[in-house]
Amino acid sequence: MTNKEISNSHPQKELIIDKSISDDKTKPISKKNTTQNKKTASKNEKANKPFDEISNEIFSDLLSKKDSLVKEIKVLETKKTELEKDIEANFKGHSDNIAKRVKGFQEYLTGALQNLSQNVEKLELVSQPIIVKPSPLDETKKDSTNNVVNVPALSETFKPDEQIIRNCFSTFTGQPDFYAEPWKLRRSLDSSDIETIDDWFFNMGGRGSLESRGSRQKNALLSAGLISILGELYGDQFQTLILASQPERLGEWRRILQDSLGLTRDDFGPNSGIVLFERPEGVIERADRLEANEELPFIIIDAAETSVEIPILQFPLWVAFAGSDKEIYDDLELN
């Protein structure tokens, strides 16, 4: 068979082969294949890098992240510290102090209002006539030898009542009587307290400064013993005036005396047995009024008071507790 005959016997097959060849030459390269080739190349490059270089890169990345986390933690810790300080400065430890201040001020305000009401009732609205006294220069001189007055020593003031006072001492050193009558001491005193009270009565004559017992509670307890003894001597003819320049201090005095003497809230007020004062002027005015009514004032001055007004020293019964520098400083810190 000739070549021509062979060509004619398979025309379709020859055409297909040519078409496939033509298609392969003209077919474009897809983008997908290009991307895959790049990724493969990148992986190959990474695979070709040494292990130490890859681990160093990872370690550096971790270190940078750690540094940023440490900085954030420090910022958060700083904020936490500031918040704790702010909370402590504004709330923690102040709630009890605020409650004491409010309670003490409430009690003091009640007594102050009662005292104010009494003062208003006693105001004299009628003008008083002016009395002109003659000058001492116009008076005739008298013989001074006939006007000598024998004034007893202060230590002899309570000598006639020594037996009554010492009987009270014996009851103070025994077991406390929690059911004793009001205005009787319901607590016990130690020997040092008894010696201090003995010195105040029989050496100082009921007027003078005593060294603080170390706390307001102990001073108030000793004062309760003095009030109990004076009640035995003078009955209802005397009134106790307590001076402390802070409401919370007056509140503490009231609570301790109320517990030690079996008193009630009604026993503290202008018309009662014990009156609380924040200023010395009120004490002096009240003491003058009591003496004008032939009654006896007994003045107690808190250890936190650093000075005593001179007019207070003229009254026959007063005691001022002298606190140490540390005690006064600690008391100021608490308030």
Side-chain angles (χ1 to χ4, degrees):
M1 185 180 287
T2 63
N3 291 334
K4 184 176 182 181
E5 289 175 348
I6 294 170
S7 174
N8 290 331
S9 64
H10 299 286
Q12 186 176 358
K13 185 174 181 182
E14 184 179 357
L15 179 62
I16 291 173
I17 292 171
D18 295 336
K19 186 177 180 181
S20 63
I21 293 172
S22 176
D23 290 339
D24 291 338
K25 291 181 178 179
T26 59
K27 188 176 180 180
I29 300 173
S30 65
K31 293 182 178 180
K32 183 176 181 181
N33 293 333
T34 305
T35 304
Q36 290 178 351
N37 293 333
K38 289 182 178 180
K39 289 184 177 179
T40 304
S42 176
K43 289 181 179 178
N44 292 332
E45 290 177 0
K46 289 184 177 179
N48 293 329
K49 285 185 177 181
F51 176 75
D52 293 339
E53 185 177 352
I54 295 173
S55 62
N56 288 334
E57 290 179 359
I58 296 172
F59 186 67
S60 300
D61 187 32
L62 291 174
L63 285 178
S64 62
K65 289 182 179 180
K66 177 187 175 183
D67 292 338
S68 62
L69 287 174
V70 168
K71 290 180 180 178
E72 291 180 0
I73 290 172
K74 288 183 178 179
V75 171
L76 291 175
E77 287 179 347
T78 303
K79 290 183 179 179
K80 177 187 174 184
T81 304
E82 291 177 354
L83 286 174
E84 288 177 349
K85 288 182 180 178
D86 188 42
I87 291 173
E88 185 177 358
N90 291 281
F91 300 99
K92 185 179 179 181
H94 288 266
S95 58
D96 291 339
N97 197 10
I98 293 173
K100 288 181 181 178
R101 287 174 178 268
V102 172
K103 185 69 176 177
F105 182 75
Q106 181 183 4
E107 294 168 354
Y108 169 72
L109 186 61
T110 302
L113 291 175
Q114 292 176 352
N115 192 19
L116 180 62
S117 175
Q118 184 182 19
N119 291 339
V120 172
E121 292 176 358
K122 291 188 176 182
L123 284 177
E124 297 179 0
L125 302 179
V126 180
S127 60
Q128 298 293 331
I130 300 175
I131 300 176
V132 179
K133 294 183 179 181
S135 171
L137 299 177
D138 298 332
E139 297 179 355
T140 57
K141 295 183 179 180
K142 297 180 180 180
D143 188 5
S144 59
T145 57
N146 297 329
N147 296 327
V148 176
V149 178
N150 293 323
V151 179
L154 288 176
S155 59
E156 303 294 327
T157 303
F158 292 96
K159 204 68 176 177
D161 304 314
E162 182 176 2
Q163 188 60 44
I164 298 175
I165 296 173
R166 297 200 180 279
N167 289 338
C168 293
F169 289 168
S170 63
T171 60
F172 293 168
T173 55
Q175 292 294 326
D177 186 1
F178 299 105
Y179 301 99
E181 297 179 1
W183 299 100
K184 305 287 186 181
L185 186 64
R186 296 188 175 189
R187 297 290 181 268
S188 297
L189 299 177
D190 56 28
S191 58
S192 62
D193 292 332
I194 298 298
E195 291 176 1
T196 301
I197 295 176
D198 183 278
D199 183 62
W200 186 79
F201 274 108
F202 299 114
N203 291 330
M204 298 182 179
R207 51 194 301 181
S209 175
L210 298 178
E211 185 177 356
S212 175
R213 311 303 292 169
S215 67
R216 185 169 292 109
Q217 182 176 3
K218 293 181 180 179
N219 293 340
L221 181 60
L222 188 143
S223 300
L226 295 177
I227 294 172
S228 179
I229 294 174
L230 292 175
E232 293 287 338
L233 299 178
Y234 301 107
D236 297 333
Q237 297 302 313
F238 86 102
Q239 189 177 50
T240 302
L241 314 179
I242 299 176
L243 173 63
S245 58
Q246 293 291 339
E248 55 269 21
R249 295 171 185 166
L250 294 173
E252 192 173 353
W253 272 96
R254 186 196 62 78
R255 287 191 296 273
I256 298 169
L257 292 178
Q258 183 174 338
D259 177 71
S260 302
L261 296 173
L263 307 180
T264 63
R265 190 178 295 272
D266 295 335
D267 293 315
F268 296 83
N271 299 320
S272 303
I274 299 177
V275 190
L276 307 176
F277 293 92
E278 191 176 348
R279 297 180 180 277
E281 293 82 5
V283 175
I284 297 169
E285 181 181 355
R286 181 64 181 174
D288 285 334
R289 189 180 301 121
L290 288 172
E291 287 193 336
N293 295 332
E294 297 183 353
E295 295 185 39
L296 188 63
F298 173 42
I299 302 172
I300 301 175
I301 302 174
D302 186 70
E305 302 299 313
T306 56
S307 62
V308 179
E309 296 293 329
I310 293 178
I312 292 178
L313 305 180
Q314 67 179 334
F315 297 106
L317 292 177
W318 60 270
V319 57
F321 290 98
S324 63
D325 294 339
K326 183 179 183 303
E327 183 180 353
I328 295 174
Y329 176 78
D330 292 341
D331 188 72
L332 292 174
E333 285 293 315
L334 291 174
N335 293 282

